[in-house]
């Protein structure tokens, strides 16, 4: 596979169009049901409009049907899938193996919620008819390389945005606290809440910190390495993000991917069209909890953000001193009235808007919580965001024109950068031109006008300039020729890999409750592929008490400098407590993995 895709999130039609305009090769979007983001649902009619717009540029549309399905929902889930296929989508992103059993005429992608972490699992999915596997975010480059080498499926990885601290699709933390389940599209994001780290017996080591909140991902500097490893789709997280985020981040990664492709002649973009932003993209100026490469280079510390799960933005400086209505920074920084700033102080995170700036002196609209020594961050750049809001980027497909005139008529032939052609012609008696050079120049100018079409005609050749072509005739043929070129492009089919299920053997003979088998079709799928023992999925269970509700490569002990590999002498159990909810931390050092087990205070107090 030599085509490379930049995959962007889309909350709705407007976001999808922005993603396409600013350079995405594909977009992923949720339908009305069974998507992992309930707040980003769209009607079939909206999805059809997205597909119509995207396909003009060869941009693919991937629909997310990535929640668990229960038996009574199977019919509705299949109906939704077929409606989305009829609307023109190019792939379905799924978690539940039931979709593999529905004989759907569409490309299937195994969602990151299938917990794609090993070469064995990725090989099985490829051999079972999945055209693509979407990787877990916690993998290192070496692990990614091994997976790419093992599977016939295409490999997609996240490159930017929020990180689920628990393994995707194997996290039941939200479900353990309420009826809301991440595997059912309604995660309450408990990983962004505050916790106390305790011994479970009344001693608190760390109080009121966001101990499970990790920084956001930014692998923009690693695109080339990922390409060389075999990754062919780069995914930006953010189906709930605003338009400014989409425009800024997509434009930024479009440039990063193009730069990497320029050094690799055997690889090429999977869509076409030039998008030249009228601002300088900078992902640090959009929502981010701080940049991290997570575990791309191996297990490491400093990936969490204990103080806040919110976007703090760019570091500005420290508060040197305060007056009644203003504060002074320890250095001058180019912030402006209208900016948003926040402060990390002993009171936690507080924020304010900026009313006035004079050198290092800043007048906010309120002073509550601002203390000397507090770190200052700009989490909203007013001028930058205004620039993005006013941005009007057009994505255009390069094309050339050939105008041919003779005594018997004239034709306008257009060819785009992919070799797609369209011709408009008229049979008509033409008069000799009084000034052939002027006639040629006028025809060339007319042929290169593209108006509000998706094309940019960069050059035009004129043959037969000795025959005069009236401007009105030339303009009509230009419009007809460019419209014909668009329609010809739209009639082309985007290549799909609709693959048979095959008879591959699953890497294990058993499936635990964490594997999320919640319906009869998924169960039949695994049994037909060699699984002997299947424990019913944990998600529909009445309680998670006593069960593992999260596994993660992230480790609190490592993050606070108490890695048991490095300091095996450390003894004692650790617990996370949030209100009435208590979780015992367990550490599998051989696998370098942390897990949370749901337990009650009574259970803890009964420990010997």
């Amino acid at each position: 596979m030599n085509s490379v895709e930049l995959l962007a999130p889309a909350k709705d039609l407007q976001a999808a169009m922005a993603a396409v305009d600013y350079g995405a090769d594909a977009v992923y979007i949720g339908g009305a049901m069974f998507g992992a983001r309930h707040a980003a649902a769209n009607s079939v009619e909206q999805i059809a409009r997205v597909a119509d717009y995207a396909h003009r540029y060869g941009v693919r549309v991937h629909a997310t049907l990535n929640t668990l399905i229960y038996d009574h929902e199977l019919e509705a889930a299949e109906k939704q899938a077929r409606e989305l296929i009829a609307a023109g989508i190019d792939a379905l992103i799924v978690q539940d193996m039931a979709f593999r059993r529905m004989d759907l005429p569409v490309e299937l992608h195994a969602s990151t919620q299938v917990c794609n972490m090993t070469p064995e699992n990725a090989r099985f999915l490829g051999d079972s008819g999945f055209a693509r596997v979407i990787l877990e975010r916690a993998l290192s480059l070496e692990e990614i390389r091994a997976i790419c080498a093992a599977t016939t499926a295409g490999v997609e990885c996240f490159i930017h945005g929020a990180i689920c601290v628990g393994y995707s699709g194997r996290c039941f933390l939200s479900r353990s606290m309420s009826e809301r389940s991440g595997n059912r599209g309604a995660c309450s994001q408990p990983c962004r809440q505050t916790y106390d780290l305790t011994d479970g017996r009344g001693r608190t080591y760390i109080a009121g910190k966001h101990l499970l909140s990790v920084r956001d991902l930014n692998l923009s500097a690693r695109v080339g390495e990922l390409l060389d490893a075999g990754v062919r789709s780069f995914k930006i997280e953010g189906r709930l993000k605003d338009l400014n985020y989409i425009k800024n981040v997509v434009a930024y990664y479009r440039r990063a991917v193009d730069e990497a492709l320029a050094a690799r002649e055997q690889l090429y973009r999977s869509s076409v069209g030039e998008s030249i932003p009228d601002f300088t993209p900078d992902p640090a100026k959009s929502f981010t909890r701080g940049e991290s490469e997570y575990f791309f280079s191996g297990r490491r510390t400093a990936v969490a953000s204990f103080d806040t799960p919110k976007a703090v933005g760019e570091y500005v400086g420290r508060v040197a001193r305060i007056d009644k209505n203003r504060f002074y920074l320890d250095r001058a920084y180019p912030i402006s009235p209208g900016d948003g700033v926040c402060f990390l102080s002993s009171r936690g995170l507080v924020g304010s808007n900026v009313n006035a700036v004079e050198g290092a002196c800043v007048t906010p609209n309120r002073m509550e919580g601002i203390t000397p020594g507090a770190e200052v961050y700009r989490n909203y750049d007013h001028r930058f965001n205004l620039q993005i809001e006013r941005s009007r980027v057009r994505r255009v497909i390069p094309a050339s024109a050939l105008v041919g005139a003779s005594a018997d008529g004239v034709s306008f032939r257009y060819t785009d950068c992919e070799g797609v052609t369209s011709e408009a012609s008229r049979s008509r008696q033409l008069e000799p031109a009084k000034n052939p050079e002027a006639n040629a120049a006028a025809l060339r100018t007319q042929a290169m006008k593209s108006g509000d079409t998706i094309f940019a005609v960069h050059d035009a050749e004129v043959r037969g300039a000795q025959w005069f072509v009236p401007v009105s005739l030339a303009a009509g043929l230009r419009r007809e020729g460019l419209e014909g070129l668009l329609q010809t492009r739209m009639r082309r089919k985007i290549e799909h890999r609709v693959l048979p299920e095959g008879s591959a053997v699953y890497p294990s003979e058993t499936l635990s409750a964490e594997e999320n088998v919640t319906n009869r079709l998924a169960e039949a799928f695994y049994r037909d592929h060699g699984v002997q023992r299947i424990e019913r999925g944990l998600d529909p269970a009445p309680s998670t008490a006593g069960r593992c509700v999260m596994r993660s490569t992230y480790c609190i002990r490592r993050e606070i400098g108490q890695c048991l590999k490095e300091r095996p002498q450390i003894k004692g159990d650790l617990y996370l407590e949030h209100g009435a909810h208590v979780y015992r931390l367990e550490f599998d050092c051989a696998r370098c993995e942390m897990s949370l087990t749901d337990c009650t205070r009574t259970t803890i107090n009964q420990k010997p």
Side-chain angles (χ1 to χ4, degrees):
M1 297 180 187
N2 291 327
S3 66
V4 176
E5 174 185 278
L6 175 61
L7 177 58
K11 177 171 61 176
D12 51 26
L13 173 63
Q14 190 178 18
M17 293 176 68
V20 172
D21 289 343
Y22 285 78
D25 299 308
V27 297
Y28 62 104
I29 187 168
M33 300 182 294
F34 307 113
R37 295 289 186 272
H38 279 180
N42 294 272
S43 68
V44 172
E45 291 75 19
Q46 290 292 89
I47 300 289
R49 292 180 64 187
V50 170
D52 179 75
Y53 189 78
H55 288 167
R56 302 176 185 189
Y57 303 92
V59 171
R60 292 165 54 94
V61 179
H62 303 169
T64 57
L65 287 183
N66 53 345
T67 61
L68 295 179
I69 309 299
Y70 295 160
D71 277 322
H72 70 276
E73 298 170 322
L74 288 170
E75 184 178 346
E78 181 173 351
K79 182 175 183 289
Q80 171 83 148
R82 294 190 182 279
E83 287 176 346
L84 291 170
I85 294 166
I89 64 154
D90 303 291
L92 282 179
I93 301 173
V94 302
Q95 172 184 191
D96 201 305
M97 292 299 119
F99 289 104
R100 179 65 271 183
R101 283 296 164 99
M102 292 178 182
D103 194 26
L104 299 170
V106 72
E107 196 170 292
L108 292 180
H109 295 178
S111 169
T112 186
Q113 287 150 296
V114 181
C115 197
N116 301 311
M117 295 188 65
T118 68
E120 294 78 16
N121 276 19
R123 181 184 298 113
F124 168 76
L125 290 167
D127 292 344
S128 299
F130 282 88
R132 182 179 297 182
V133 293
I134 306 169
L135 301 184
E136 163 63 38
R137 296 166 175 87
L139 297 175
S140 68
L141 176 61
E142 289 71 24
E143 291 168 323
I144 292 171
R145 185 180 292 115
I147 289 173
C148 291
T151 184
T152 57
V155 175
E156 174 183 311
C157 77
F158 282 90
I159 194 170
H160 189 90
I163 297 171
C164 287
V165 65
Y167 296 148
S168 297
R170 303 293 182 265
C171 179
F172 307 90
L173 190 59
S174 178
R175 176 67 180 80
S176 73
M177 292 185 174
S178 69
E179 293 299 315
R180 295 179 60 182
S181 166
N183 295 313
R184 298 279 289 167
C187 182
S188 62
Q189 294 194 312
C191 56
R192 304 299 182 185
Q193 301 297 323
T194 56
Y195 292 87
D196 295 338
L197 183 65
T198 76
D199 67 355
R201 299 178 182 273
R203 181 178 179 183
T204 298
Y205 301 110
I206 300 175
K209 292 293 185 179
H210 302 271
L211 298 174
L212 295 175
S213 183
V214 295
R215 300 175 186 273
D216 288 355
L217 189 66
N218 184 329
L219 293 180
S220 58
R222 304 292 195 163
V223 173
E225 293 167 88
L226 287 165
L227 285 172
D228 294 340
V231 173
R232 292 296 178 264
S233 177
F234 298 101
K235 189 171 198 170
I236 298 168
E237 182 277 337
R239 274 202 291 142
L240 298 181
K241 298 295 196 301
D242 62 23
L243 277 180
N244 282 8
Y245 176 95
I246 299 297
K247 294 177 180 180
N248 183 29
V249 176
V250 171
Y252 179 81
Y253 278 91
R254 177 74 273 156
R255 183 175 61 190
V257 172
D258 285 347
E259 288 176 355
L261 290 177
R264 294 163 176 82
E265 293 182 358
Q266 76 280 13
L267 301 177
Y268 55 88
R269 286 184 64 173
S270 63
S271 71
V272 296
E274 299 172 346
S275 301
I276 303 175
D278 47 8
F279 61 92
T280 302
D282 183 354
K285 293 182 181 294
S286 289
F287 186 98
T288 176
R289 297 177 180 90
E291 295 181 353
S292 169
E293 292 189 347
Y294 208 35
F295 302 130
F296 183 83
S297 299
R299 310 296 189 258
R300 57 184 291 268
T301 60
V303 299
S305 179
F306 285 178
D307 292 317
T308 178
K310 299 179 180 180
V312 295
E314 309 162 273
Y315 180 72
V316 171
R318 288 184 179 273
V319 176
R321 63 186 178 91
I322 61 174
D323 286 342
K324 181 179 180 180
N325 296 314
R326 56 189 178 177
F327 64 89
Y328 293 83
L329 292 167
D330 58 358
R331 58 172 183 159
Y333 190 86
I335 57 178
S336 305
D339 286 353
V341 291
C342 58
F343 307 82
L344 286 174
S345 65
S346 58
R347 300 184 184 182
L349 187 72
V350 295
S352 177
N353 291 327
V354 174
N355 289 339
V357 180
E358 185 176 348
C361 178
V362 180
T363 304
N365 68 345
R366 61 177 185 172
M367 290 291 293
E368 290 85 357
I370 302 176
T371 58
E375 293 182 330
V376 185
Y377 295 81
R378 176 168 61 184
N379 57 3
Y380 180 77
D381 186 329
H382 178 66
R383 290 181 178 176
F384 182 79
N385 278 277
L386 189 62
Q387 191 177 14
I388 296 179
E389 288 171 7
R390 292 173 175 172
S391 174
R392 294 294 182 268
V393 168
R394 279 181 63 232
R395 179 168 176 167
V396 293
I397 298 174
S400 60
L402 174 61
V403 180
S406 69
D408 300 321
V410 61
S411 65
F412 276 54
R413 182 179 180 86
Y414 286 95
T415 304
D416 70 17
C417 60
E418 292 186 293
V420 180
T421 63
S422 175
E423 182 173 312
S425 62
R426 291 286 187 280
S427 295
R428 176 173 170 177
Q429 295 298 311
L430 299 180
E431 299 293 330
K434 295 180 180 178
N435 187 336
E437 289 186 4
N439 184 46
L443 288 171
R444 191 176 298 110
T445 298
Q446 190 63 237
M448 292 179 66
K449 290 181 179 180
S450 56
D452 58 357
T453 72
I454 67 169
F455 302 104
V457 184
H458 293 315
D459 61 87
E461 180 183 355
V462 177
R463 297 175 183 174
Q466 64 271 29
W467 300 100
F468 177 71
V469 180
V471 172
S472 59
L473 176 59
L477 290 173
R478 168 182 52 80
R479 289 191 293 268
E480 186 179 323
L482 290 174
E483 177 61 25
L485 187 59
L486 172 61
Q487 295 305 318
T488 302
R489 289 191 60 83
M490 294 295 289
R491 286 193 293 270
R492 298 192 314 160
K493 299 295 184 182
I494 291 178
E495 182 181 354
H496 293 167
R497 297 179 67 210
V498 182
L499 306 172
E501 183 177 312
S503 57
V505 177
Y506 190 71
S508 173
E509 291 186 352
T510 63
L511 286 176
S512 72
E514 296 174 49
E515 307 297 322
N516 284 335
V517 177
T518 59
N519 63 71
R520 63 181 183 274
L521 290 185
E523 182 175 346
F525 169 86
Y526 284 113
R527 291 200 185 281
D528 288 348
H529 289 281
V531 179
Q532 301 298 314
R533 180 176 177 275
I534 300 177
E535 187 177 356
R536 192 66 171 171
L538 183 56
D539 218 82
S543 170
T544 60
R547 308 300 295 266
C548 175
V549 295
M550 177 190 286
R551 298 187 190 277
S552 179
T553 306
Y554 166 76
C555 177
I556 289 177
R557 280 198 180 277
R558 180 173 58 235
E559 192 71 10
I560 64 175
Q562 293 187 6
C563 174
L564 294 177
K565 284 185 175 180
E566 299 175 358
R567 302 175 66 183
Q569 71 276 12
I570 296 176
K571 305 295 181 182
D573 292 335
L574 292 178
Y575 294 82
L576 288 182
E577 300 188 25
H578 176 80
H581 301 283
V582 182
Y583 304 91
R584 183 174 66 251
L585 298 180
E586 297 177 357
F587 304 92
D588 185 340
C589 293
R591 300 177 62 180
C592 210
E593 183 179 270
M594 180 184 76
S595 61
L596 278 66
T597 298
D598 187 7
C599 52
T600 65
R601 291 181 182 274
T602 302
T603 304
I604 295 171
N605 292 335
Q606 289 176 349
K607 287 170 64 68

